[in-house]
């Protein structure tokens, strides 16, 4: 399952980007640098699952997994995020994000 999106972002500005997930499964999103290009154009910080998006201890409750993306130089980055399990087992889900830094 794949999803795609695009963002425009001014140089030295940041934006928080959410991907749907479920913390109770042990799966999480990560930036696949091997499948991404232009990673020198952006800084990507993994912020983990958002707090308050679900009731604590509630199994099966969805919550957004967050990344902060900051433009560090002008250009375009094509980023691949993969949803992987606790043993790094791929889920087959990924999200492609294009970021144009100006």
């Amino acid at each position: 399952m794949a999803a795609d999106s695009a963002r425009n972002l001014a140089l030295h500005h940041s934006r928080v980007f959410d991907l749907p997930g479920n913390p109770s499964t042990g799966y999480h999103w990560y930036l696949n640098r091997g499948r991404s290009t232009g990673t020198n154009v952006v800084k990507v910080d993994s912020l983990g699952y958002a707090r308050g998006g679900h009731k604590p201890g509630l199994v099966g409750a969805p919550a957004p997994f967050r990344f902060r993306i900051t433009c560090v130089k002008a250009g375009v980055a094509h980023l691949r995020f993969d949803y992987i399990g606790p043993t790094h087992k791929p889920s087959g889900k990924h999200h492609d994000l294009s970021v144009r830094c100006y």
Side-chain angles (χ1 to χ4, degrees):
M1 179 174 155
D4 300 308
S5 58
R7 301 282 188 270
N8 293 317
L9 193 58
L11 196 57
H12 304 297
H13 284 85
S14 297
R15 183 172 206 171
V16 173
F17 178 70
D18 291 348
L19 292 170
N22 188 324
S24 69
T25 64
Y27 279 77
H28 66 279
W29 290 95
Y30 90 104
L31 174 63
N32 185 334
R33 291 188 178 275
R35 302 284 308 264
S36 298
T37 61
T39 55
N40 62 325
V41 172
V42 294
K43 178 182 177 202
V44 179
D45 296 305
S46 175
L47 304 177
Y49 280 104
R51 297 199 189 280
H54 64 285
K55 293 181 181 178
L58 182 61
V59 176
F65 194 94
R66 295 189 160 164
F67 290 92
R68 182 187 309 107
I69 299 172
T70 305
C71 284
V72 295
K73 66 187 251 187
V76 176
H78 298 285
L79 308 174
R80 163 64 67 95
F81 295 91
D82 291 330
Y83 195 54
I84 61 168
T87 60
H88 299 283
K89 178 183 177 185
S91 69
K93 291 182 184 180
H94 68 271
H95 187 93
D96 294 320
L97 172 66
S98 293
V99 180
R100 184 180 70 86
C101 299
Y102 61 94

